[in-house]
Amino acid sequence: MKKISTNKTNARLFEKIAKGFLWIAAGMSIVVLLWIIGSILFQGFIAISDREYPVIARGSMTAAFDAERKYTAAFLINSGIRTDELTAQDIIDFYSLEKTDWVISAQDLDVSLFSYEAESGLVESFRESVFGDEFQLAFTARPASTEYEMLGNVAATPGAIGYIDSGLKAFAKSMGVTVLDIPEAENKKIAIIVNKTIGISELSLRHVVEIFLGDERKWNEGGVDIVPYIYTTTNTTHSVFIALMQEGMFKRSCTLVESDHEMIEKVGSTPGAIGFIPEHAIDLARQNPNVKIVTVRSVALFVNPAVMEIKEYRQLRQIAEANVSKLFSGAITNYSEIDGIDLPVVPILYKESTRMDNELRTIQFPEGWEHGVDAISVETEAEFVTTLSKTPGGIGFGNYFSLHNTLVGQVLPVRRQEITQNLTFEFLTEAPSKSSRAGGVSTIIGNTILLIFITLLFAVPFGIGGAVYLVEYSRQGMLVNTLRFFTETLAGIPSIIYGLFGYILFRIVFGLQEGILSAGLTLMIMILPTIIRTAEEALKSVPKSYRFESFALGATKWQTIRRVILPAASPGIVTGIILGVGRAIGETAAVLFTCGSSSRFVLDQGVNVEMFTKSARVLALHIFFLFKESAGNVRAIHQAYATSAILIIVILGINLLTAQLLKRMNSMRN
Amino acid sequence: MNIRMKTIFVLSILVLAVVFIAACGKSGTVQSVNYGGSTTVLPIMEGAIEQFQKLYPAVTVSYEAPGSSAGIKGVAEGTYKLGGSSRKLKDSEKESGIQATPIALDGLAVIVGGNVPVADLTIEKVAKIFAGETKNWKEVGGPDIPIVVINRDEASGTRGSFSELVLQHVLGKDAKFVETAIIVESNGDMTQKVGNTPNSIGYCGFGYIDAAKHAGAKEVSIAGMLPDIRNVYSDKYPLSRELYIVHKGDLPKDGVERDFVNFLLSKDGQKIVKDTGFIPLP
Amino acid sequence: MNDTKISTQNLNLFYGDVQALQDISFDMNEHSVTALIGPSGCGKSTFLRVINRMNDLIDSVKITGTVLYNGNNIYEGSFDVIALRKSIGMVFQKPNPFPMSIYDNVAYGPRIHGIRKKDELDSIVEKSIRQAALWDEVSDRLNTPALGLSGGQQQRLCIARVLAVEPDVILMDEPTSALDPISTAKIEDLINELKQMYTIIIVTHNMQQAGRISDVTGFFLNGVLVETGPTKDIFFNPKEKRTEDYISGRFG
């Protein structure tokens, strides 16, 4: 009696333990799966990145180019450009030709610059902030320290060119120097002079710019070298010359318009265009749906040079956004607290209700703004600059446009974590360009679909045919068992070996180029065992009675297979095919050596036989290549996640589809 | 026709189809050229190929990246018409007639994890850290935390260059990387790893500095010199190297390869070099 | 009297070494119902399967003797088995319609024999289902799955399926043993009607059924055809003792 009850309790105990293990296993797998899928999907749709900017977050719709805010402009961009905010540095980079395309908005668009024809204070002020005083002139330029020396050099050197105050024109002529007729120079009261052996009397401003920048080196084909002379001391003529150069540089890089109206219209009708309008024209711009006014972030943190010195391996190079307000509230009193050198923080702020102060108050700091500590108070920008230079440890806010040339190297970049949208509709529909720095993955999706198609084209007939043979025709014997053994073994081989095999067989032996044909054949071999196995099981599970009944009605074996058995086995067969597709879509190692890396769509030159043997990139490999070619592409990791998300969604979709298909097919039976 | 014959018939059609297509591939109805080599040079090549194809749409150019050594070998064997290399040619390679044309400069930047307050190091200190002699951040002005060294895989040309420019330069020809370093397989991986690993130090090409920052890492100046183009041009930044296109013998005058190399050296080509984060030739 | 439709002479059948049928000589007439009775395992189903050569599907089966259908030996080398099976249909014990619609089940036979036109198929399907006394119950749902029918309906559907190929002879292997009494009665009525146009050979181990519906009966025991004759005679006046013992239930 006792023995029986003990056994019963033991049995129940074991049952409970087994059940417990089952729950744990199931729970773990669900958690892990959800975690993996969840995190990839999350990062696929949302990009989190650390970004460093020379300016602070939040900006205003207008930018000021000078301290007194006499010259302010709003910047317009074509509505097709996918950004609503630009930093002052971006704008400066565009207009100085440092950046020539819209990679910052991930678009394959060239930047088209617009400016005004007429010289105005606004345009001049903007130009000055873009170029500053010190841009790189031709390194073949020779020095002159006085106007007299300038004249002498130009007169004596064949091929020489220089500049003087226009008041000295007559004197110049008397020295045997040719004065060129250049209207823009005339307007600025400056004269461009050349050696008299150069037989020209006028020159376009564009040429002057090219000569003094060093882009133009000879006066004529195979002729005299150009020898530019520039002043080494700062005198008024030189400053005016710099202004003239700036005018010329703008003129050669921008399309010029004559009115605010034209500016708005042209920016609206040119893809990739950027332009600017005076503040009062903002309402006018708002009426045009093809342009948008971008927010310009132009307030930056400027520091005394001592703050960014290198001492004992340390150097303050950036500041986290969250810490900015702490410097001014007194929460942080020494730069060493934010990984800088040991130097006390000395905040400099504008007096309350000055324009700058008002502007500051409109900036929302993440930690709030507390004007807590005793800051040095200044009233004008000039005062700010002098105070900053005198105060080691000094730090304060300033206008990037007007100060970045004056306080070179004294900008403290701000670092923040940004959360942006990652996988977007555009990502799916645009082709990758500029080595994936812009665009999406549309062509790659196309290549992937074609690859799967080719894989199935071969795998399905061979797979189903093989299974039908194994089940219906062959007798149990050596052949069948051997075949089965090989099929089972094939299923376990690592995919990289398939890749290698495919490379050797299809690319070397058959001589096929890399492309979807080689890769498709390799994948076919890889998923064949899966399809044969599942098809075989499906066929075997069809009741024998169907076969008998079909024969009894006078059907041949082939008719029976085609009309009764295959349809009855189709849910299982389709499952096998879909499982194979699921595996093939995510394959990297198997297609690495056979498919190629070109992100062009194989059909982009039309449908022809070459589509099979062109290098083609597919989704799973794209992730791999993104890492490899991520130089210059800060978004590479995010694009990799977005691509992963696409793959996961496709695979989830395939599995759901399978489940639905199975449900529907089974209902036909019941 | 009974079933068996039908199946055989269908199968043989399929096999014939494959062979036919294979034959097409062999006959070379497409002008398809293969280049290959360094992973570092890959972005430049991809960008250049993209532009170059617009001028020569009839040619399909592809570039694979199994590494500098594989690229040079491929050129020697004829598998690649042009190769990319991020290291100098060995004497043995030069003897077999291979030539290298510089197409860009690349700088190597030292990067550290976001929580490391050290912003400047000397080349000697860097060498000692990567050789495992300096093990703790406090020895270089940081907190008392062990340094996590992250290194590239052995096949990497970047690793080779770093070894030459830093380790061997300071510690002699036999200097070796510390064995306990974590290994990553590409520049991209390196930026992610350093960005995500506290107390870490690694190195990457100039083109990856921005990606490194995005991942949370910071660049280190060498003896006060920041890794940027100007400092490389003025020779103030010591860690720089040339990137090459390698080819066997002289390039034929009217071949695609000649045009391609000329394109790389042209203003447009050098712009691509700059856009991908490398340094145009001075 | 009706003409002989099917005749076996000295038929022997071996499953490998085991002899399942011994020297069977039996004549079956057209337009009649011939019942084959006997205990389980006596060979009656095997005998039935000889007639439409379904035994060919089993390996290791060896047959000697003659089987004549309309005077032709169906086991002669060049005999067209497909045509044979078209003319001699079979209904199985367990109703097993194909996993298709009712329409497709019945149209299966005609389709594999080459009929493609929709109107031809429609009329054949309707005619067959009517003949199988099923039309009123399914005419409005021909395109629904056949497996949705009840057991009795499914069996009548299988009969319709056979009728659709316009056979000559219908073999039935215990067609009602898996059905309820009402369905059984319906099918027995059906058989009575069908015998006017077809020759029916039915295996049954339900003696009462044999008594109800058959004209001629053959009694099998251990692979031997013990006695044949008009059903009344077999049941009320058996010549052999073994027959009498079986009929009176001394063994089952």
Side-chain angles (χ1 to χ4, degrees):
Chain A
M1 230 23 206
K2 247 200 188 149
K3 254 208 172 107
I4 298 173
S5 64
T6 321
N7 283 344
K8 230 181 171 183
T9 344
N10 276 345
R12 244 192 241 134
L13 184 63
F14 281 136
E15 189 184 329
K16 283 216 172 104
I17 293 178
K19 201 173 181 190
F21 277 131
L22 176 65
W23 274 107
I24 293 177
M28 282 197 322
S29 2
I30 291 178
V31 165
V32 167
L33 209 60
L34 281 180
W35 192 331
I36 295 176
I37 294 184
S39 63
I40 292 184
L41 284 179
F42 178 72
Q43 301 221 53
F45 285 97
I46 298 189
I48 302 178
S49 55
D50 254 324
R51 300 191 69 175
E52 199 179 271
Y53 293 104
V55 293
I56 298 182
R58 311 287 179 282
S60 63
M61 294 209 7
T62 54
F65 302 120
D66 66 312
E68 292 83 47
R69 299 198 116 252
K70 232 170 61 181
Y71 302 113
T72 55
F75 280 90
L76 303 168
I77 56 174
N78 184 279
S79 310
I81 302 168
R82 295 198 287 261
T83 185
D84 294 312
E85 199 180 66
L86 288 174
T87 65
Q89 187 62 56
D90 293 329
I91 295 174
I92 290 170
D93 284 339
F94 287 145
Y95 276 92
S96 61
L97 300 182
E98 187 66 33
K99 285 205 181 105
T100 53
D101 52 45
W102 284 98
V103 166
I104 54 172
S105 65
Q107 291 176 278
D108 188 10
L109 277 177
D110 285 330
V111 174
S112 292
L113 300 166
F114 286 87
S115 179
Y116 287 95
E117 172 86 52
E119 285 292 288
S120 65
L122 173 63
V123 175
E124 277 195 31
S125 174
F126 178 43
R127 275 203 309 249
E128 239 194 73
S129 59
V130 169
F131 295 111
D133 284 346
E134 315 267 330
F135 41 84
Q136 189 76 347
L137 292 171
F139 62 83
T140 52
R142 296 195 192 169
S145 40
T146 63
E147 307 214 63
Y148 187 70
E149 205 185 306
M150 171 71 79
L151 283 165
N153 287 334
V154 172
T157 320
I161 179 171
Y163 49 96
I164 49 166
D165 184 278
S166 54
L168 294 170
K169 264 198 293 198
F171 185 57
K173 284 197 187 124
S174 75
M175 287 193 71
V177 151
T178 316
V179 175
L180 294 179
D181 176 17
I182 301 172
E184 295 93 340
E186 197 51 53
N187 286 344
K188 287 191 152 61
K189 307 261 186 303
I190 187 176
I192 309 289
I193 51 175
V194 292
N195 183 278
K196 67 174 181 292
T197 59
I198 302 157
I200 54 169
S201 60
E202 57 180 17
L203 199 60
S204 72
L205 180 59
R206 218 183 103 236
H207 274 129
V208 175
V209 166
E210 275 168 18
I211 287 170
F212 278 95
L213 284 180
D215 290 341
E216 198 68 62
R217 304 267 180 102
K218 288 195 189 289
W219 281 111
N220 41 31
E221 296 278 325
V224 189
D225 281 337
I226 300 180
V227 186
Y229 278 90
I230 56 176
Y231 291 103
T232 46
T233 52
T234 35
N235 52 40
T236 352
T237 317
H238 187 70
S239 318
V240 175
F241 173 68
I242 294 293
L244 181 68
M245 284 293 288
Q246 289 174 351
E247 186 183 331
M249 289 198 287
F250 241 47
K251 284 205 152 99
R252 75 173 185 156
S253 57
C254 305
T255 309
L256 301 175
V257 298
E258 301 194 351
S259 67
D260 297 334
H261 233 104
E262 200 187 338
M263 175 67 87
I264 295 169
E265 198 220 301
K266 279 261 161 75
V267 171
S269 58
T270 316
I274 178 171
F276 55 96
I277 47 171
E279 232 177 315
H280 61 252
I282 289 185
D283 286 326
L284 191 60
R286 287 220 178 93
Q287 291 171 20
N288 189 322
N290 298 324
V291 300
K292 38 184 183 171
I293 302 175
V294 283
T295 312
V296 181
R297 292 162 46 188
S298 54
V299 174
L301 272 175
F302 291 93
V303 294
N304 178 279
V307 176
M308 288 170 76
E309 268 177 14
I310 302 176
K311 264 207 194 128
E312 282 168 15
Y313 310 105
R314 286 181 176 232
Q315 183 186 39
L316 182 64
R317 289 228 189 97
Q318 76 271 323
I319 180 172
E321 197 186 44
N323 289 335
V324 173
S325 55
K326 289 191 187 150
L327 290 171
F328 295 91
S329 67
I332 297 178
T333 52
N334 192 302
Y335 290 106
S336 58
E337 297 173 58
I338 47 173
D339 297 344
I341 60 177
D342 182 14
L343 184 64
V345 175
V346 185
I348 304 173
L349 285 173
Y350 284 86
K351 228 169 161 170
E352 258 185 70
S353 60
T354 50
R355 213 175 272 133
M356 191 62 182
D357 180 68
N358 285 336
E359 192 154 323
L360 272 181
R361 288 180 189 279
T362 67
I363 301 177
Q364 293 148 301
F365 287 100
E367 310 287 303
W369 176 256
E370 273 178 56
H371 202 134
V373 71
D374 289 310
I376 302 181
S377 193
V378 292
E379 280 190 45
T380 65
E381 190 176 80
E383 210 185 322
F384 174 66
V385 173
T386 32
T387 314
L388 191 65
S389 334
K390 283 192 304 186
T391 319
I395 180 168
F397 299 98
N399 181 336
Y400 191 82
F401 277 115
S402 56
L403 286 178
H404 81 107
N405 286 318
T406 324
L407 298 173
V408 178
Q410 288 173 247
V411 174
L412 183 61
V414 175
R415 195 154 172 166
R416 61 198 257 228
Q417 204 177 52
E418 274 187 355
I419 298 179
T420 49
Q421 211 185 0
N422 196 5
L423 178 59
T424 59
F425 182 67
E426 283 82 26
F427 190 70
L428 294 173
T429 52
E430 279 175 13
S433 60
K434 298 200 182 328
S435 303
S436 303
R437 274 176 291 131
V441 286
S442 65
T443 54
I444 298 174
I445 293 178
N447 287 341
T448 313
I449 293 176
L450 282 173
L451 176 63
I452 300 293
F453 181 68
I454 296 216
T455 307
L456 288 181
L457 189 66
F458 288 108
V460 168
F462 282 132
I464 297 183
V468 166
Y469 180 80
L470 280 175
V471 175
E472 303 290 331
Y473 285 96
S474 64
R475 289 137 205 251
Q476 282 298 100
M478 266 249 331
L479 176 61
V480 171
N481 288 335
T482 320
L483 264 171
R484 208 177 293 277
F485 172 73
F486 278 119
T487 313
E488 295 295 314
T489 315
L490 270 177
I493 292 182
S495 45
I496 183 83
I497 295 186
Y498 280 109
L500 207 54
F501 173 73
Y503 175 73
I504 294 173
L505 181 63
F506 300 116
R507 284 198 63 186
I508 297 192
V509 172
F510 276 24
L512 292 173
Q513 311 273 11
E514 60 179 4
I516 54 180
L517 184 59
S518 303
L521 290 170
T522 311
L523 283 178
M524 167 204 79
I525 299 178
M526 205 181 83
I527 68 176
L528 211 50
T530 311
I531 295 186
I532 290 182
R533 244 213 260 119
T534 38
E536 208 191 336
E537 289 302 311
L539 288 168
K540 275 196 195 154
S541 74
V542 175
K544 273 192 144 79
S545 53
Y546 290 155
R547 293 175 177 83
F548 287 140
E549 285 163 22
S550 177
F551 290 136
L553 288 167
T556 61
K557 194 161 189 176
W558 175 241
Q559 281 173 323
T560 307
I561 293 176
R562 185 163 79 83
R563 287 167 179 276
V564 180
I565 306 203
L566 275 179
S570 53
I573 294 179
V574 168
T575 311
I577 294 176
I578 293 184
L579 279 175
V581 167
R583 195 172 165 200
I585 251 186
E587 261 313 307
T588 41
V591 296
L592 183 55
F593 308 123
T594 46
C595 207
S597 59
S598 163
S599 29
R600 278 165 69 178
F601 185 42
V602 292
L603 292 181
D604 68 359
Q605 303 266 320
V607 183
N608 51 29
V609 76
E610 277 135 31
M611 66 185 257
F612 298 108
T613 47
K614 277 205 277 206
S615 174
R617 187 184 292 201
V618 293
L619 277 174
L621 269 181
H622 183 52
I623 299 175
F624 174 64
F625 284 125
L626 275 173
F627 270 92
K628 279 194 150 189
E629 61 181 40
S630 60
N633 181 4
V634 297
R635 264 185 232 93
I637 180 74
H638 302 306
Q639 289 172 329
Y641 273 117
T643 311
S644 309
I646 294 176
L647 273 172
I648 295 227
I649 291 174
V650 165
I651 290 175
L652 283 176
I654 285 180
N655 282 322
L656 274 171
L657 181 69
T658 317
Q660 285 293 76
L661 262 171
L662 276 173
K663 236 199 325 181
R664 231 187 339 135
M665 284 180 181
N666 279 330
S667 76
M668 248 325 242
R669 302 165 152 220
N670 299 325
Chain B
M1 262 210 290
N2 67 40
I3 323 97
R4 214 152 262 193
M5 287 197 64
K6 262 201 197 153
T7 334
I8 294 177
F9 180 65
V10 170
L11 281 177
S12 32
I13 295 274
L14 274 172
V15 170
L16 276 171
V18 172
V19 173
F20 172 70
I21 294 178
C24 273
K26 248 199 179 120
S27 72
T29 46
V30 186
Q31 224 217 319
S32 206
V33 271
N34 292 325
Y35 306 153
S38 156
T39 56
T40 307
V41 181
L42 174 66
I44 301 178
M45 298 301 276
E46 295 266 317
I49 289 173
E50 211 182 301
Q51 294 281 65
F52 190 69
Q53 298 263 231
K54 292 191 188 146
L55 306 168
Y56 287 82
V59 188
T60 306
V61 184
S62 66
Y63 181 86
E64 328 181 272
S68 298
S69 300
I72 296 172
K73 185 156 170 280
V75 164
E77 290 172 359
T79 342
Y80 297 138
K81 285 257 161 65
L82 290 178
S85 174
S86 60
R87 63 161 175 79
K88 299 202 185 86
L89 289 177
K90 298 186 190 146
D91 288 327
S92 54
E93 290 161 353
K94 283 191 216 161
E95 272 160 33
S96 42
I98 302 183
Q99 300 176 16
T101 309
I103 51 154
L105 295 177
D106 183 24
L108 288 176
V110 176
I111 49 176
V112 294
N115 72 324
V116 176
V118 174
D120 177 70
L121 289 169
T122 61
I123 199 172
E124 287 78 22
K125 291 270 184 304
V126 174
K128 292 212 175 115
I129 290 175
F130 277 92
E133 287 178 31
T134 307
K135 297 203 185 59
N136 194 302
W137 282 115
K138 70 172 190 268
E139 301 175 56
V140 287
D144 184 5
I145 297 173
I147 303 178
V148 180
V149 177
I150 309 200
N151 199 358
R152 287 290 303 279
D153 53 304
E154 295 236 8
S156 159
T158 311
R159 169 173 162 145
S161 302
F162 191 77
S163 172
E164 199 186 300
L165 290 166
V166 177
L167 283 180
Q168 292 173 23
H169 176 83
V170 173
L171 302 169
K173 259 197 161 7
D174 294 324
K176 290 220 179 345
F177 282 104
V178 63
E179 310 246 321
T180 51
I182 301 174
I183 303 289
V184 290
E185 306 281 320
S186 70
N187 275 308
D189 282 347
M190 172 69 85
T191 59
Q192 290 301 309
K193 194 78 183 154
V194 174
N196 294 326
T197 314
N199 318 318
S200 59
I201 185 169
Y203 54 89
C204 63
F206 269 25
Y208 295 86
I209 296 180
D210 277 334
K213 286 203 217 169
H214 267 242
K218 302 192 284 210
E219 81 272 33
V220 161
S221 51
I222 307 284
M225 289 297 135
L226 276 170
D228 64 37
I229 299 184
R230 251 171 314 174
N231 289 339
V232 169
Y233 280 149
S234 56
D235 281 330
K236 291 196 200 144
Y237 186 79
L239 306 180
S240 72
R241 56 179 176 167
E242 285 181 319
L243 298 176
Y244 307 95
I245 282 266
V246 296
H247 47 96
K248 196 157 186 184
D250 287 322
L251 288 172
K253 257 203 187 330
D254 45 3
V256 172
E257 279 71 47
R258 236 283 168 116
D259 291 337
F260 188 71
V261 176
N262 285 339
F263 174 74
L264 279 170
L265 296 171
S266 72
K267 212 162 72 154
D268 290 326
Q270 292 292 299
K271 182 169 180 304
I272 293 175
V273 166
K274 186 139 172 273
D275 284 341
T276 45
F278 296 93
I279 304 174
L281 295 169
Chain C
M1 203 54 206
N2 293 333
D3 290 325
T4 307
K5 195 68 166 161
I6 296 181
S7 160
T8 72
Q9 288 153 20
N10 306 105
L11 173 69
N12 286 289
L13 186 145
F14 298 87
Y15 285 123
D17 294 331
V18 178
Q19 184 159 20
L21 294 175
Q22 268 187 52
D23 207 31
I24 313 278
S25 297
F26 194 177
D27 289 344
M28 288 155 274
N29 296 326
E30 61 177 352
H31 300 311
S32 66
V33 179
T34 305
L36 306 175
I37 61 172
S40 306
C42 64
K44 49 193 197 295
S45 292
T46 309
F47 178 73
L48 198 71
R49 286 200 297 274
V50 166
I51 300 175
N52 67 351
R53 287 186 64 168
M54 283 297 276
N55 283 320
D56 289 6
L57 302 172
I58 302 171
D59 288 341
S60 77
V61 159
K62 209 178 79 168
I63 291 176
T64 65
T66 335
V67 179
L68 298 176
Y69 166 59
N70 284 335
N72 299 316
N73 184 356
I74 66 176
Y75 279 93
E76 203 107 301
S78 57
F79 202 91
D80 186 353
V81 181
I82 304 290
L84 176 72
R85 294 196 185 129
K86 184 174 181 296
S87 308
I88 303 184
M90 182 173 249
V91 177
F92 296 80
Q93 178 174 347
K94 191 168 172 303
N96 231 325
F98 296 135
M100 306 169 187
S101 66
I102 296 173
Y103 183 96
D104 285 332
N105 262 284
V106 182
Y108 183 76
R111 279 197 180 120
I112 56 175
H113 292 300
I115 298 179
R116 271 175 230 291
K117 287 210 181 128
K118 187 159 192 316
D119 16 337
E120 268 189 78
L121 287 171
D122 282 350
S123 74
I124 292 176
V125 167
E126 183 175 337
K127 179 169 144 222
S128 312
I129 298 184
R130 276 188 194 282
Q131 273 192 300
L134 189 61
W135 183 254
D136 297 330
E137 289 161 70
V138 301
S139 62
D140 56 347
R141 45 174 170 149
L142 290 178
N143 285 317
T144 62
L147 293 164
L149 296 175
S150 75
Q153 291 170 320
Q154 284 187 9
Q155 192 63 298
R156 275 177 284 154
L157 180 64
C158 291
I159 295 175
R161 195 167 61 181
V162 167
L163 295 175
V165 297
E166 289 169 354
D168 211 11
V169 178
I170 304 180
L171 308 174
M172 296 193 177
D173 193 349
E174 306 199 33
T176 59
S177 60
L179 302 178
D180 61 270
I182 296 181
S183 307
T184 304
K186 282 200 183 148
I187 290 190
E188 288 181 6
D189 289 338
L190 182 54
I191 293 176
N192 251 322
E193 292 220 16
L194 290 174
K195 78 171 180 197
Q196 293 169 30
M197 297 213 303
Y198 305 93
T199 305
I200 300 183
I201 305 173
I202 173 170
V203 165
T204 176
H205 70 252
N206 181 337
M207 284 189 290
Q208 288 85 346
Q209 183 174 76
R212 282 194 292 271
I213 58 173
S214 65
D215 304 309
V216 175
T217 301
F219 170 57
F220 280 79
L221 181 62
N222 293 332
V224 173
L225 181 58
V226 173
E227 191 177 340
T228 70
T231 304
K232 282 208 179 63
D233 290 349
I234 295 284
F235 275 79
F236 299 116
N237 221 347
K239 294 204 187 82
E240 298 280 332
K241 184 164 189 312
R242 286 171 289 176
T243 317
E244 193 187 337
D245 285 343
Y246 180 70
I247 301 281
S248 55
R250 263 188 223 131
F251 62 95

